[in-house]
Amino acid sequence: MTSPVAIVTGGSRGIGAAIAERLAKDGFDIAITYVRNAEAARRVTSAIETTGRRALAIQSDGGNVADNTALVQKVVSAFGRLDALVCNAGAYPYGGPDTMTVDDISRTLDLNMRGVMIESVSAARAMKEGGRIILIGSAFGERVPLPGISIYSATKAGLVGFAKGLSRDLGPKGITVNVIQPGPIDTELNPADGPAGDALRSVLAIPKYGEVKDIADFVSFLASDQSSYITGAALSVDGGLTA
């Protein structure tokens, strides 16, 4: 019997890398995507292979239709199946109406929404009963405590509506669709000691940043059989930002 297979988009660093490595420990063979940093992707696949699991890194731009469309087929061709899709790749534009450009808006919509939709629909066609589609949203899709993130927040809120609808479509097939909504997580791109740190901690019930492990552990649960009765849900892992 072959091992289950998971795709983690944006899996070469930060939250995505932690998710990929955790799912490998859970017994999944893993395909990750990256855009530019092939060396970072290689480090993640090497770490996965040390667990005895198979790993594949695919250069894929989540904002590109051709790349989105080809992704699932590449993974199924390599591994023979697909059991879980984790859509983690995303853009985080910052700026208000005075600075936001049409290109900024288009790029964010393409990567955070359209790409996720294409990948999810493609994955659903390849999955059998027990399949898991997990979208990494944001607590900012539910609450917007700071200026400058309107476009980002809109796309993350849109993921919730998409997941709720897709869960209805796929429930009869035994495939679940859920959104995880992280709060501030300490990563290279959003360090706990960065310029936004104090402002973000001020709106949390637990006044500290989370760790990538917090998100990876929750993905692990949603990818498991233990979560089989959870679908269409937006689940916050946010230190109380949305409380």
Side-chain angles (χ1 to χ4, degrees):
M1 182 176 179
T2 60
S3 298
V5 173
I7 297 172
V8 181
T9 68
S12 65
R13 60 181 178 178
I15 293 172
I19 292 169
E21 292 179 25
R22 173 56 197 266
L23 290 180
K25 291 179 181 177
D26 292 342
F28 284 83
D29 291 333
I30 305 292
I32 64 169
T33 70
Y34 69 97
V35 178
R36 288 177 293 274
N37 196 335
E39 177 56 28
R42 186 199 62 77
R43 288 195 294 269
V44 174
T45 56
S46 294
I48 289 167
E49 287 167 348
T50 64
T51 69
R53 304 266 58 86
R54 296 180 294 171
L56 175 67
I58 299 172
Q59 187 172 23
S60 179
D61 180 352
N64 180 280
V65 171
D67 286 358
N68 296 146
T69 304
L71 177 60
V72 167
Q73 185 54 51
K74 287 181 179 179
V75 174
V76 172
S77 294
F79 292 138
R81 60 188 290 174
L82 178 62
D83 302 272
L85 168 69
V86 183
C87 291
N88 167 75
Y92 183 75
Y94 181 83
D98 293 340
T99 60
M100 189 67 64
T101 68
V102 171
D103 285 345
D104 292 332
I105 294 170
S106 295
R107 174 63 180 170
T108 308
L109 288 170
D110 290 348
L111 180 54
N112 291 11
M113 284 292 298
R114 185 185 66 187
V116 171
M117 290 177 170
I118 294 171
E119 291 160 359
S120 297
V121 169
S122 298
R125 292 169 179 161
M127 288 177 176
K128 297 181 180 180
E129 184 174 356
R132 301 285 188 263
I133 297 174
I134 302 166
L135 313 181
I136 305 300
S138 171
F140 292 155
E142 184 173 341
R143 182 186 177 196
V144 187
L146 304 169
I149 57 173
S150 58
I151 304 303
Y152 175 78
S153 297
T155 60
K156 294 303 185 178
L159 291 182
V160 177
F162 176 63
K164 287 180 180 296
L166 194 61
S167 71
R168 293 284 186 179
D169 297 329
L170 299 180
K173 299 179 181 179
I175 298 170
T176 65
V177 188
N178 292 291
V179 182
I180 295 176
Q181 299 187 136
I185 303 297
D186 187 16
T187 64
E188 178 184 347
L189 295 180
N190 183 28
D193 60 357
D198 289 341
L200 288 172
R201 279 186 287 272
S202 73
V203 297
L204 301 175
I206 301 172
K208 66 176 184 177
Y209 270 52
E211 301 177 0
V212 294
K213 181 179 182 295
D214 296 321
I215 307 305
D217 286 346
F218 205 52
V219 170
S220 172
F221 168 69
L222 287 180
S224 74
D225 291 340
Q226 294 174 302
S227 69
S228 61
Y229 202 55
I230 301 173
T231 195
L235 303 157
S236 296
V237 185
D238 66 357
L241 188 151
T242 53

